[in-house]
Amino acid sequence: MDIEKKLQAATEQFQKVMRSQLERVERMKNGEDFVDFEKLDKVIIGVCGGDGIGPIISKEAARVVEYLLKDEVAAGKVEIRYIDGLTIENRVACMKAIPDDVLAELKKCHVILKGPTTTPRAGDPWPNIESANVRMRKELDLFANVRPVKVPEQGIDWTFFRENTEGAYTLGSDGCTVTDDLAVDFTVTTTQGTERIARLAYEYAKKNNKGRVSIITKANVVKTTDGKFLKLCQEIGKEYPDIVTDDWYIDITTAKLVDEKRRRDFRVFILPNLYGDILTDEAAEFQGGVGTAGSANYGKRYSMFEAIHGSAPRMITEGRGKYADPCSMLRAAVMMLSHIGRQEQADKLERALDICMFEEKKLTITGRDTGCTCEEFGNYVMETVESL
């Protein structure tokens, strides 16, 4: 194929991608309202294990949730459904990020407690299928990834609002190899997508008396998409005059989180997808690592709650799966309980985790037989809840 034909093929692919994004914009314009959980006769919680250590830690988190909600489960007001089929083996067999039957079951639930999933990369033995997380966020329109990090003794009280459906990730499987020497990926920013994540962040800051919202971009270099993101967030910020709005570039932000004096000033962050992914992993290290941090993915119809770490397939191959740390999934369960209106149970679980992880620490998770098992730690958490 000569260069002109290759350019034509690349142009046609770009047009196809842009048309799909314009269609998505129209769907956002006609979007529905958030689910009111107080009006539901029954809340359906889907538990989707994923692969690697995912089924182990998600099952443990679900066991703790069922314990906390045992009266409502018994009364039929809450149903917990286990959804299989999101393993890497099954996804590869279907050659889909999420098999159709699994997606259909997920859509029958109101909220999803999801274990980590393996995303193949170049050089892996698996075909290079799309990330299950990215596909789920697209299919269920989970536009807001919210990750809290707290270390009170260091003055750290951060909540990250990462835009989930745009930026560099949303078209990560739609890039274009123009020639053997040239490959191009796309990043996307829309008015509707940016405004809804910004408003959610500012509403959170207002309701929780956070006082400051920091917008994180690289708008000085990535002028079109990051520039649009920054400008739109600043416009939303003007509607909240009692909240201080500032903006930072992503590179200096990563440095300032390490600055013991300056990091105490941060409260709420709004970030495009890629920056949010990187910065929240750094932030979790202050709290004890990615194994200690949960993650919420909010949409108007659906919401999904997960650990922020990967599926750790090495632990499975080495026979250490039962020693996997469930704390990240349990932190995610706290956010899920709060989201569905079970704040009392959410507060109890959060307090119990603080005691078990940081204060008493009667049991320790090490990922090996030098520490307790996942199930033993779950029992410890439930015993602690019972004592509160």
Side-chain angles (χ1 to χ4, degrees):
M1 185 183 293
D2 61 32
I3 189 65
E4 291 302 325
K5 289 183 179 179
K6 290 180 178 180
L7 287 172
Q8 180 62 33
T11 301
E12 290 174 358
Q13 182 175 348
F14 179 75
Q15 289 179 341
K16 179 181 178 181
V17 170
M18 292 304 103
R19 286 194 183 98
S20 71
Q21 289 302 300
L22 289 170
E23 291 170 359
R24 188 175 69 87
V25 167
E26 290 304 312
R27 290 196 296 273
M28 284 191 284
K29 288 180 178 179
N30 300 314
E32 56 193 344
D33 292 330
F34 283 94
V35 170
D36 185 347
F37 285 94
E38 292 184 358
K39 295 181 179 179
L40 295 179
D41 294 329
K42 179 170 68 174
V43 176
I44 302 173
I45 301 171
V47 181
C48 194
D51 48 38
I53 63 171
I56 299 169
I57 62 175
S58 61
K59 181 180 178 181
E60 196 57 37
R63 189 168 73 97
V64 173
V65 167
E66 188 166 6
Y67 165 75
L68 285 160
L69 300 177
K70 56 181 178 292
D71 291 340
E72 293 190 76
V73 170
K77 294 180 179 179
V78 172
E79 178 183 347
I80 297 177
R81 294 182 183 177
Y82 288 87
I83 301 169
D84 297 321
L86 208 58
T87 63
I88 183 63
E89 293 83 2
N90 194 41
R91 287 182 282 138
V92 166
C94 300
M95 283 307 294
K96 289 189 173 183
I98 304 177
D100 292 341
D101 59 336
V102 176
L103 182 60
E105 290 302 311
L106 291 172
K107 288 184 174 180
K108 295 177 184 177
C109 304
H110 297 106
V111 293
I112 300 157
L113 195 59
K114 177 192 161 293
T117 50
T118 300
T119 301
R121 60 183 180 180
D124 284 352
W126 306 106
N128 195 24
I129 57 173
E130 183 184 21
S131 160
N133 266 13
V134 171
R135 174 51 55 184
M136 193 177 295
R137 289 163 183 164
K138 291 179 185 177
E139 290 287 345
L140 305 183
D141 198 23
L142 307 177
F143 66 87
N145 182 230
V146 181
R147 297 180 175 182
V149 173
K150 291 184 179 181
V151 188
E153 64 270 22
Q154 297 183 33
I156 293 174
D157 180 9
W158 302 329
T159 307
F160 296 85
F161 282 76
R162 168 191 171 195
E163 204 294 317
N164 232 359
T165 58
E166 300 189 354
Y169 281 17
T170 187
L171 301 177
S173 298
D174 294 319
C176 181
T177 299
V178 182
T179 71
D180 291 342
D181 301 310
L182 176 62
V184 178
D185 271 315
F186 308 117
T187 187
V188 170
T189 298
T190 70
T191 298
Q192 292 73 21
T194 303
E195 287 181 345
R196 65 184 182 178
I197 186 70
R199 195 172 300 283
L200 199 67
Y202 275 99
E203 281 294 313
Y204 172 85
K206 178 182 177 181
K207 291 176 182 178
N208 292 276
N209 299 312
K210 295 299 183 180
R212 179 182 296 272
V213 172
S214 301
I215 308 162
I216 313 301
T217 67
K218 192 63 178 173
N220 58 330
V221 176
V222 188
K223 295 182 182 296
T224 302
T225 49
D226 278 21
K228 182 180 181 69
F229 188 93
L230 173 60
K231 182 178 179 180
L232 289 170
C233 289
Q234 288 172 330
E235 289 300 312
I236 296 294
K238 292 177 182 178
E239 300 176 21
Y240 299 83
D242 294 334
I243 297 173
V244 175
T245 295
D246 58 12
D247 70 274
W248 296 76
Y249 298 136
I250 179 61
D251 46 356
I252 194 63
T253 306
T254 61
K256 289 304 176 185
L257 292 193
V258 184
D259 184 330
E260 292 185 7
K261 293 182 179 179
R262 196 56 192 259
R263 70 187 181 206
R264 294 170 178 265
D265 295 336
F266 292 112
R267 285 295 176 263
V268 177
F269 301 78
I270 312 174
L271 316 88
N273 209 332
L274 175 60
Y275 308 150
D277 191 10
I278 295 169
L279 204 64
T280 51
D281 279 5
E282 181 198 15
E285 285 299 308
F286 293 99
Q287 187 173 263
V290 293
T292 67
S295 175
N297 299 266
Y298 296 114
K300 292 187 174 181
R301 169 64 180 84
Y302 304 98
S303 292
M304 181 264 283
F305 302 83
E306 61 180 341
I308 74 169
H309 57 72
S311 57
R314 184 178 300 173
M315 289 190 69
I316 300 300
T317 58
E318 294 178 356
R320 296 187 288 114
K322 68 179 182 179
Y323 298 105
D325 188 343
C327 290
S328 186
M329 286 297 299
L330 289 167
R331 291 288 183 187
V334 171
M335 289 186 278
M336 184 193 73
L337 289 166
S338 177
H339 181 65
I340 63 174
R342 275 61 179 181
Q343 192 60 49
E344 180 182 351
Q345 292 89 337
D347 292 342
K348 282 186 177 181
L349 179 54
E350 184 171 35
R351 179 66 189 128
L353 287 169
D354 287 343
I355 292 170
C356 295
M357 293 170 66
F358 306 123
E359 297 173 21
E360 287 184 355
K361 294 192 288 189
K362 291 180 180 178
L363 296 177
T364 303
I365 290 276
T366 66
R368 299 179 182 276
D369 59 9
T370 54
C372 68
T373 66
C374 180
E375 183 178 359
E376 287 170 342
F377 194 85
N379 290 338
Y380 177 32
V381 169
M382 287 186 284
E383 290 166 4
T384 304
V385 167
E386 191 66 29
S387 68
L388 294 176

